[in-house]
Amino acid sequence: MKNSPAAGTPLPQTTGFDFARMSVALLFLALVLVFTYLFTNPSANHLFLAVAAVFGGYMAMNIGANDVANNVGPAVGSKAMTMGWAIVIAMVFEASGAFIAGGDVVSTIKKGIIDIEAFGDDTEHFLWAMMAALLAAALWLNLATMARAPVSTTHSIVGGVMGAGIAAAGFNIVNWNTMAKIASSWVISPVIGGVIAALFLFAIKKTIVFKDDKMAASYRWVPVYVALMAWAFVTYLVLKGLKKIWPQMLNLVNDVFFFSVEVTKKPSFLTAALLGGLVAILVYSIVKKRLRSKLKRLDNTRKSVNVLFTIPLIFAASLLSFAHGANDVANAIGPLAAINDAVMTGGISAKAEIPFWVMAVGAFGLALGLALYGPRLIKTVGSGITDLDPIRAFSVAMAAAITVIIASQLGLPVSSTHIAIGGIFGVGLLRQRLDKNSTLKAEIAREKALVRGEKERLRALYDKLSAVEVKQNRTAADSEEMLRIYKLIDEERVVIKAAKKELKKDQKSLYIKQGMIQKIITAWLITVPSAAVLSACIYYIIESMMT
């Protein structure tokens, strides 16, 4: 066989590495199964709960592998962080966000997309539906990760719950108004994220990059942009990352400092914005002071400006990971907490307590999935759509935080995945409008000239061949000449085909990689229906096995 490896040739190292990764993942799921079965309160459905915990761990790993890329991908793609450091930072902050701010209670039905009362007292079918939703969402995320398509984990679990709910109780169980809002986020999230990212990038270019004295402009404006980042991320963190433990935090402040702050259920926007403002003022003064000495060691170039945004970008990736861990761990443990609550109480609740072991499954699963399979999607988000540098990645991170703040105040449904990808897309479109002298454009011009030159040579060969063919009395030398020309024509055709292929590739990659965008948008559109169909099928399988 022509392409078979020679005898004794070792298998590629990636095969062994893939086997090792799968072994670690399976070991984690086995430990979850054993721990849940041996150390949770025994009940009639004890084994069922243990299997559900495995599905929850599997879901958490897939969230870590797919969704976390949106937080650290731009920083890696811009070379602000290495892949190794990005994995470590994201693992620490994702797990910290889940443990510290994941909350004590979680909604059993994500986004209220189905009417929980439709199950009545039928705990058994509710358990089957939650089990099917969890496994279907995890399987869909796994497929999307294999295809290098970043998709919304929230939409995956929404589709899973919807499909299982319909299979269990019919179409009337679905809140279709809520589903319409979720569908609208397919447009709202990327558009708002793209616009905000493009505006920030344009502002940085106009105030710093396009200036003759970039260092003086940096001294004036970098502290402003970093302070804005501090305000946005503190506000975002308070609104989204700390909302579940807000009452406990206020009680702690009152006890430690002997204050009498009113304990509210969750922070208001005004409170979050004021805290963000205080931090922003502090950050502005610190950055301004440090820049004075740092700018003396830098050249007056765009590269130096990028250096100034590197550290803020690392902080942004860390804070995004913390907030993501606090919020999106619920996608893995929400259905698991619902199953645990139903198994232990024998009833169905709209809210469920989160035992520590359930939170641990979610937190460790997130971190492990990121470490094992995260690099695949991090590369896609960081460099698979458009080329990023720290300035562009900073703009994307700002868009992620500010879009969530705006959406939360207007009650708009948004997806963190769609915001991040929309931000990257917006940055690419702005580059396309502003970058007049890119090296890639010059390369494309050279490739076009090469194709034209090769075509001219090909035409000359055809003319030469025609001149020989029209001879009345061709000699042996003429025949040899014709064969030589035929050979040269074939060679020219190969060269032209290769040059055209390279030209087409570079034209597609000039600012935005069109093929990747099309794949991602397709994955977004089919996430909810695909997860729903998969979930319904799994529900029917479980029902047939249990009855």
Side-chain angles (χ1 to χ4, degrees), residues 64-310:
N66 192 290
D67 217 27
V68 178
N70 304 314
N71 306 324
V72 297
V76 173
S78 66
K79 307 295 191 295
M81 282 193 291
T82 63
M83 180 67 76
W85 274 111
I87 295 292
V88 171
I89 288 173
M91 285 177 64
V92 170
F93 281 89
E94 287 280 340
S96 299
F99 275 122
I100 296 172
D104 299 321
V105 178
V106 69
S107 297
T108 56
I109 302 299
K110 187 71 179 178
K111 302 288 185 184
I113 58 169
I114 63 173
D115 181 11
I116 198 171
E117 294 182 0
F119 287 99
D121 296 326
D122 191 355
T123 305
E124 192 171 59
H125 284 83
F126 175 75
L127 287 172
W128 299 346
M130 291 298 99
M131 180 83 89
L134 201 52
L135 181 56
L139 287 171
W140 173 249
L141 282 174
N142 200 334
L143 290 172
T145 302
M146 290 172 62
R148 299 180 186 271
V151 297
S152 170
T153 56
T154 300
H155 288 178
S156 299
I157 197 66
V158 162
V161 170
M162 182 183 75
I166 291 173
F171 284 90
N172 291 332
I173 195 174
V174 179
N175 185 336
W176 293 107
N177 289 331
T178 300
M179 287 304 303
K181 290 180 180 179
I182 291 171
S184 70
S185 72
W186 299 341
V187 177
I188 293 171
S189 300
V191 168
I192 297 179
V195 169
I196 292 176
L199 288 175
F200 261 99
L201 180 59
F202 184 74
I204 294 171
K205 284 178 175 288
K206 291 290 286 185
T207 56
I208 302 176
V209 177
F210 292 162
K211 296 294 184 181
D212 293 331
D213 191 345
K214 293 177 176 56
M215 293 301 97
S218 295
Y219 183 71
R220 187 181 306 115
W221 285 102
V222 168
V224 174
Y225 292 124
V226 177
L228 277 173
M229 184 202 77
W231 175 84
F233 274 95
V234 170
T235 305
Y236 171 83
L237 198 60
V238 172
L239 287 175
K240 302 296 289 185
L242 302 179
K243 64 180 180 180
K244 295 176 183 176
I245 57 169
W246 187 247
Q248 297 93 315
M249 290 181 63
L250 292 181
N251 284 326
L252 181 64
V253 169
N254 288 337
D255 292 341
V256 173
F257 298 101
F258 303 104
F259 291 163
S260 56
V261 178
E262 181 185 358
V263 178
T264 56
K265 187 176 180 181
K266 61 181 182 180
S268 66
F269 172 74
L270 181 60
T271 300
L274 286 174
L275 288 173
L278 292 174
V279 174
I281 293 171
L282 178 63
V283 167
Y284 178 88
S285 61
I286 292 173
V287 173
K288 194 82 171 177
K289 184 178 179 180
R290 289 183 175 273
L291 272 182
R292 196 185 305 275
S293 59
K294 188 174 183 65
L295 290 175
K296 295 176 182 178
R297 302 191 299 270
L298 296 175
D299 298 325
N300 188 40
T301 62
R302 180 189 173 117
K303 184 177 180 180
S304 297
V305 178
N306 270 312
V307 170
L308 299 176
F309 283 94
T310 300

Side-chain angles (χ1 to χ4, degrees), residues 11 47 104 108 141 205 228 272 323 408 413 454 492 505 520-521:
L11 290 172
L47 180 59
D104 299 321
T108 56
L141 282 174
K205 284 178 175 288
L228 277 173
S408 66
E454 295 297 336
E492 284 297 328
K505 176 183 174 183
I520 290 172
I521 291 175

